[in-house]
Amino acid sequence: MGRKLLLEHINVPGINTFDVYRSKGGYASVEKALKTLTPDEVVEEVKKSGLRGRGGAGFPTGMKWSFLAKPEGVARYLVCNADESEPGTFKDRYLMTHIPHLLIEGMIVASYALGAKTSYIYVRGEMMPQIRILEKAIAEAKAKGFLGTNILGTGYDLELYVQPGGGAYICGEETALLESLEGKRGNPRIKPPFPAIAGLYGCPTVVNNVESIAAVVPIVNEGGEEYAKVGIGRSTGTKLISAGGNLKRPGVYEIELGVPVEEFIYGDEYCQGIANGKRLKAVVAGGSSVPILPANLILKTINNESRLMSYESLADGGFATGTMMGSGGFIAYDEDQCIVRNTWNFARFYHHESCGQCSPCREGTGWMEKVLHRLEYGHGKMIDMDLLVDVSKKIEGNTICPLGDAAAWPVASAIRHFRNEFEWHVTNAHEVTTRNYGLAHYADPLPLLEKAEA
Amino acid sequence: MLSVQETSAPVNFSPELITKFDDVVSRYPKGKQKSALLPILHLVQAEFGWVSPPAMDKVAAYLDIQPIEVYEVASFYTMYFLKPQGKYMLEVCRTGPCETVGASKIIDHVEQTLGVKEGDVTPDGLFSWRGVECLAACGYGPVLQIGPEYTFYENLTNESVDTLIADLRRKAGN
């Protein structure tokens, strides 16, 4: 069993309430930080921990915090990004639903470290039940003296609010999130200036993912160096992985970074293999925006080493043979899944969710969706694959925010690894147009893993 | 296209609703009350079932911003209904992970059962449905949610959808 730093008490009855959470050692990091550490010392511990942003980008959290400008007389803000909308990713919803005080505790410590007197948790609007859970937890924490004025008699004041979004994937991008929090459309801002200089209301702001903020709790409790001992290499600590798709046991798992992918998919402790005795065809390892990998490449690197659940190992080989850790949204596809249909589905998602600000993304995602749609429904042409790669290249890197890249990578990688399946759709158009959704139609087992299910 | 009757129906915000607005505005620094726009639109929709133009105008007046600032926000985000919907809006996730476990078939079943196209309202005014993008419950698909409480239903089957719709009909007294 791997170490659990976030979800150790997740199955304790009543852990969503303050009293039970407290009885399990909850809020100890607030006491330790506010009473025995300076804000800079907390930042230093987070730096030592090697924690990388758990929202998808993987940028070192401590470094991000240290960039925060601290002009005199200007408010600073901490904003938690709980706008979880990346297809395949549902770890933050899980954490907020079952152990909301972990996030509240992390918010207090992080706000203290950053000198924020008001902090916001921007929660995806669709998560109304989670919003109610968090508001209740905040009220409990405030009643017990962990929020509000003069917290624990230390002289530190903090108000914490939950802000609901309005339904827009783009608001997971930090500057779009800030625009939305200011009551505007979620159009990403041009960077620089980065939020650390000019964020919410033009003030220095840090935006962190739910899981990143929750991870601050064990980091402060155990010390950054101890935290860094968990995991592998520069992928320190634990990571929440939300596993979905055709797995026998989907769900949210806390793993020590460095677990072999094969163990994660087939191990008893984790997903226990592919559902219904099917074979694994492909995996999207870090949410829909990261490149898809066929079964052979997700289990072994190009050098035939076991691929590990770590930032470095998943990316090994670049995008030709690797992928990314991303948000930890792990989607497994069995042999019956149609890659063309799946790619079209994701292209539709990104077209729908493009904010429309940048032409390459606004137009390009629409064209990709249209071309994939005609392929999926049996009206494709052989030139379509090259056309899709061309369009994806023209979107990638040419937009204000990474949504353009996120839209381009799934398409480009699907064609890279499953081109023959796209070609099959063209040459077998009649079968494609008459088949039912989700049924097997692709006979060539090239990307399939020869592993029988127990 | 909205009819004149729909757009011109007067809207009154009750004192209780205004109190809720005031509570939201108090969360932001002085002069930054526009931040309350999204939460207030949620409150308006929960109260009236949709955000009508007269309601948006009143929100603009309350927040001391231009009506266009409200329109552009309400039309950007997918959660705000700009025309009346059924009392229960069934939002079925149609994105990748749910699709791999049968979302398309659930959507077909919902459409057939309710007998109306996406975005339309059943004749009794009770139901609307639409496909929505990832609801962040990918391990438990197919999933759907129903506002304004956003109650959530996981691991859907045709049978569970039938039960759900029958329960809602019973709840509404039909």
Side-chain angles (χ1 to χ4, degrees):
Chain A
M1 290 283 284
R3 281 198 66 189
K4 302 279 183 282
L5 299 176
L6 302 180
L7 304 184
E8 185 183 357
H9 303 299
I10 196 84
N11 292 321
V12 174
I15 195 70
N16 59 330
T17 64
F18 180 92
D19 289 340
V20 175
Y21 181 75
R22 183 88 171 118
S23 74
K24 291 292 172 187
Y27 288 98
S29 72
V30 175
E31 291 187 306
K32 182 175 178 182
L34 270 58
K35 290 180 177 172
T36 68
L37 299 172
T38 66
D40 286 345
E41 284 170 341
V42 178
V43 175
E44 205 49 43
E45 290 303 318
V46 175
K47 273 187 174 174
K48 280 186 211 161
S49 74
L51 177 69
R52 296 168 67 163
R54 302 300 199 222
F59 189 80
T61 304
M63 198 182 290
K64 189 174 187 176
W65 286 13
S66 66
F67 291 156
L68 190 72
K70 296 178 179 174
E72 283 295 315
V74 176
R76 281 169 247 156
Y77 293 100
L78 170 66
V79 179
C80 173
N81 183 347
D83 190 64
E84 187 167 62
S85 323
E86 171 90 354
T89 313
F90 51 103
K91 66 193 175 68
D92 294 341
R93 168 197 280 269
Y94 182 83
L95 193 148
M96 290 187 289
T97 305
H98 297 287
I99 190 160
H101 283 285
L102 183 65
L103 175 59
I104 312 292
E105 181 178 355
M107 285 296 289
I108 298 167
V109 175
S111 299
Y112 170 73
L114 298 167
K117 303 284 172 126
T118 307
S119 295
Y120 298 96
I121 305 174
Y122 182 101
V123 185
R124 179 172 187 196
E126 287 92 336
M127 294 190 190
M128 286 294 176
Q130 285 69 29
I131 288 170
R132 289 192 287 271
I133 289 168
L134 287 174
E135 284 179 336
K136 183 167 173 278
I138 288 170
E140 283 183 311
K142 194 166 183 176
K144 299 288 183 179
F146 284 86
L147 279 169
T149 51
N150 193 21
I151 295 171
L152 304 179
T154 60
Y156 177 60
D157 305 335
L158 175 68
E159 292 298 336
L160 180 58
Y161 300 110
V162 179
Q163 175 85 354
Y169 167 77
I170 188 60
C171 291
E173 195 279 333
E174 62 178 0
T175 60
L177 185 151
L178 295 174
E179 286 285 296
S180 182
L181 185 43
E182 292 180 3
K184 298 180 244 172
R185 300 172 80 120
N187 287 341
R189 298 172 182 171
I190 293 173
K191 295 190 273 192
F194 288 87
I197 307 298
L200 186 63
Y201 310 129
C203 300
T205 303
V206 165
V207 183
N208 281 147
N209 177 255
V210 170
E211 189 187 345
S212 309
I213 290 173
V216 171
V217 173
I219 288 169
V220 168
N221 278 337
E222 301 196 14
E225 282 173 12
E226 283 301 307
Y227 184 90
K229 287 177 187 169
V230 181
I232 184 168
R234 286 176 52 237
S235 299
T236 59
T238 63
K239 174 90 187 80
L240 299 182
I241 304 290
S242 51
N246 306 120
L247 291 163
K248 199 175 275 182
R249 204 175 65 151
V252 175
Y253 297 95
E254 182 174 11
I255 62 160
E256 279 190 38
L257 285 165
V259 172
V261 174
E262 186 161 6
E263 186 183 332
F264 182 72
I265 296 175
Y266 294 99
D268 286 342
E269 194 181 338
Y270 304 108
C271 304
Q272 299 181 357
I274 308 304
N276 303 317
K278 304 281 184 183
R279 290 177 301 174
L280 179 69
K281 179 175 185 177
V283 165
V284 168
S288 65
S289 59
V290 311
I292 189 171
L293 287 189
N296 51 348
L297 280 177
I298 192 63
L299 297 175
K300 303 276 182 193
T301 66
I302 197 77
N303 296 322
N304 210 33
E305 295 159 351
S306 278
R307 205 180 277 279
L308 310 178
M309 300 287 279
S310 75
Y311 289 90
E312 290 77 20
S313 179
L314 284 173
D316 184 72
F319 283 176
T321 57
T323 182
M324 289 168 71
M325 171 66 82
S327 60
F330 194 93
I331 314 166
Y333 299 94
D334 71 23
E335 56 194 300
D336 288 351
Q337 294 299 329
C338 170
I339 296 298
V340 178
R341 183 169 185 81
N342 174 67
T343 310
W344 164 60
N345 189 300
F346 283 156
R348 182 187 65 193
F349 172 84
Y350 288 103
H351 181 211
H352 183 267
E353 299 297 336
S354 172
C355 79
Q357 192 175 200
C358 310
S359 305
C361 177
R362 180 184 65 243
E363 304 299 328
T365 52
W367 280 109
M368 289 201 300
E369 184 195 343
K370 282 179 187 166
V371 174
L372 283 158
H373 184 268
R374 77 177 179 212
L375 275 164
E376 164 61 7
Y377 284 93
H379 305 292
K381 303 166 186 173
M382 276 300 177
I383 198 173
D384 283 350
M385 281 65 84
D386 290 337
L387 184 61
L388 284 167
V389 171
D390 188 47
V391 174
S392 73
K393 276 185 187 159
K394 289 191 166 73
I395 301 173
E396 188 182 343
N398 292 318
T399 54
I400 288 174
C401 85
L403 191 138
D405 300 347
W409 291 340
V411 175
S413 60
I415 294 174
R416 185 184 306 127
H417 297 300
F418 296 95
R419 193 178 185 105
N420 47 357
E421 186 163 339
F422 284 82
E423 289 172 355
W424 190 94
H425 268 244
V426 178
T427 53
N428 295 274
H430 176 71
E431 282 184 57
V432 172
T433 52
T434 54
R435 75 192 165 89
N436 291 320
Y437 293 158
L439 296 183
H441 62 279
Y442 180 60
D444 182 356
L446 175 73
L448 296 179
L449 177 73
E450 295 292 340
K451 178 148 190 164
E453 290 294 313
Chain B
M1 185 65 78
L2 300 174
S3 73
V4 175
Q5 197 181 355
E6 282 165 355
T7 57
S8 61
V11 168
N12 283 315
F13 292 165
S14 66
E16 293 76 28
L17 192 58
I18 295 289
T19 305
K20 288 182 186 172
F21 290 0
D22 294 342
D23 175 53
V24 175
V25 169
S26 73
R27 299 170 191 170
Y28 316 104
K30 205 170 175 346
K32 304 296 181 189
Q33 76 280 3
K34 191 181 173 185
S35 279
L37 181 50
L38 273 72
I40 283 180
L41 288 175
H42 281 304
L43 291 170
V44 168
Q45 183 158 296
E47 183 88 6
F48 301 101
W50 64 301
V51 287
S52 65
M56 288 192 273
D57 290 345
K58 289 200 84 165
V59 168
Y62 171 81
L63 288 175
D64 195 20
I65 57 178
Q66 295 299 315
I68 185 65
E69 295 180 80
V70 183
Y71 299 159
E72 65 178 10
V73 162
S75 61
F76 180 83
Y77 296 95
T78 57
M79 290 182 74
Y80 303 119
F81 303 140
L82 301 178
K83 63 175 190 174
Q85 304 291 331
K87 182 175 180 182
Y88 303 112
M89 164 61 97
L90 274 57
E91 299 187 322
V92 192
C93 180
R94 60 179 187 175
T95 311
C98 276
E99 172 71 16
T100 61
V101 289
S104 294
K105 289 173 183 166
I106 293 294
I107 287 175
D108 287 350
H109 186 69
V110 168
E111 182 170 18
Q112 283 163 16
T113 307
L114 296 180
V116 290
K117 293 279 177 203
E118 185 170 11
D120 288 347
V121 186
T122 53
D124 58 7
L126 272 188
F127 295 102
S128 297
W129 73 273
R130 64 176 180 171
V132 292
E133 300 301 347
C134 189
L135 292 178
C138 315
Y140 325 114
V143 297
L144 72 75
Q145 65 181 8
I146 304 173
E149 299 295 314
Y150 291 89
T151 41
F152 215 78
Y153 300 87
E154 300 169 348
N155 300 311
L156 295 173
T157 60
N158 286 358
E159 293 70 31
S160 66
V161 168
D162 291 343
T163 306
L164 164 67
I165 291 173
D167 286 349
L168 289 173
R169 283 214 168 99
R170 207 171 302 121
K171 194 173 154 193
N174 286 26

